[in-house]
Amino acid sequence: MAKLAVKICASLACADWLHLEQELRALEKAGVDYLHIDVMDGTFVPNFALSLDLMRLVHKATSLPLDVHLMIVQPERYLEAFAQAGAEIITVHQEASLHLQRTLSHIHSLGVKAGVALNPATPLHMLDYVLEDLDLLLIMTVNPGFAGQQLIPNMLKKIADARQLLTSHGLDTDIQVDGNVSFANAPAMVRAGATSLVGGTSSIFSKETNILEGVQRLRRLAEKALPAKGEKE
Ligand code: DX5
Ligand code: ZN
């Protein structure tokens, strides 16, 4: 049975970078569980986002835990660097990891939680032999790289399939979803089995609300959608 609580992660790549300190204080006040740090190399995804230096700065400026999403090729090259920069979770892409099991062990050896992200087209069964090594499974609900995209509808079934796969292995590993986690989409994502939501321009940083309201609304919607304790999902 999945943990009956949903984690709210703020996608810092979607914050107002010109007023980052104020945004961090607002996120602290709103009680987000993690800052989601999108790192992009322009190769694995055709875009760039947050840098290691910015992450070090953010880690000094707030005690909010950092959930790092590496959208880069050969992520194994930078595990120590992101661990030293303060990552509590490091998530690598299965598609970018030639020796995924070794990479997951390496992340754990650094005292950091290990996550794996799957692009929309990548089947869950690529992870069959490393499910027990995961602290987090990130299901990309859009193609990675850009904010403001629309949810790929088939991803709701993928979330449900992922929850079923984990449960069939006796695991209650967190399933994180990233991309168009809007107020409208979040309940269906949670009902399908997501337990960690990455809020970007569709919710926490949307134009229709402020950060405090956005976080509270997303959390309220998510918790309302959770299966009641003991209820079958
Ligand atoms: C895809 C995006 C998301 C980000 C955007 O990599 O960069 O990670 O959280 O969120 P939305 O889709 O709400 O703008
Ligand atoms: Zn991300």
Side-chain angles (χ1 to χ4, degrees):
M1 185 65 186
K3 296 181 189 83
L4 286 184
V6 180
K7 296 171 183 73
I8 305 294
C9 314
S11 182
L12 211 59
C14 300
D16 173 357
W17 294 3
L18 290 178
H19 302 95
L20 197 51
E21 172 127 42
Q22 285 153 267
E23 301 272 276
L24 289 175
R25 298 301 159 243
L27 290 164
E28 288 166 349
K29 187 160 175 271
V32 293
D33 297 293
Y34 285 93
L35 294 179
H36 184 82
I37 308 285
D38 273 338
V39 178
M40 303 179 186
D41 63 2
T43 302
F44 182 74
V45 290
N47 198 359
F48 298 86
L50 305 177
S51 71
L52 201 48
D53 285 340
L54 186 81
M55 182 177 150
R56 289 188 185 103
L57 213 66
V58 167
H59 186 48
K60 281 201 182 79
T62 179
S63 56
L64 288 173
L66 306 182
D67 153 37
V68 179
H69 176 192
L70 295 180
M71 288 169 271
I72 66 174
V73 296
Q74 297 165 350
E76 61 278 7
R77 295 170 296 161
Y78 298 106
L79 301 178
E80 280 91 350
F82 281 97
Q84 277 150 28
E88 175 158 320
I89 307 175
I90 295 177
T91 297
V92 298
H93 269 263
Q94 181 280 327
E95 304 88 354
S97 305
L98 207 51
H99 301 289
L100 182 57
Q101 201 284 333
R102 182 191 295 159
T103 298
L104 295 171
S105 304
H106 189 173
I107 294 170
H108 283 143
S109 72
L110 298 167
V112 176
K113 292 192 182 93
V116 174
L118 295 179
N119 286 338
T122 306
L124 291 164
H125 290 293
M126 298 302 283
L127 302 179
D128 276 357
Y129 298 99
V130 292
L131 287 173
E132 285 74 9
D133 299 321
L134 302 186
D135 299 298
L136 178 87
L137 167 53
L138 168 48
I139 303 281
M140 288 307 298
T141 38
V142 298
N143 290 299
F146 298 93
Q149 300 179 78
Q150 289 303 302
L151 165 69
I152 298 169
N154 222 2
M155 294 303 104
L156 290 174
K157 180 177 178 328
K158 188 172 181 180
I159 298 164
D161 291 349
R163 180 52 69 202
Q164 198 178 0
L165 179 64
L166 289 165
T167 304
S168 69
H169 282 72
L171 300 167
D172 68 354
T173 312
D174 273 327
I175 294 177
Q176 185 176 63
V177 286
D178 185 1
N180 197 211
V181 182
S182 64
F183 300 122
N185 292 331
M189 293 169 162
V190 170
R191 276 195 296 275
T195 51
S196 175
L197 305 180
V198 176
T201 65
S202 319
S203 48
I204 294 173
F205 298 103
S206 81
K207 301 238 179 311
E208 60 180 272
T209 180
N210 62 45
I211 286 177
L212 181 64
E213 281 167 19
V215 171
Q216 289 174 339
R217 191 172 160 196
L218 189 59
R219 191 181 294 283
R220 211 175 30 250
L221 286 164
E223 293 191 341
K224 218 168 123 215
L226 272 173
K229 270 198 184 328
E231 179 193 317
K232 203 111 185 69
E233 277 162 38

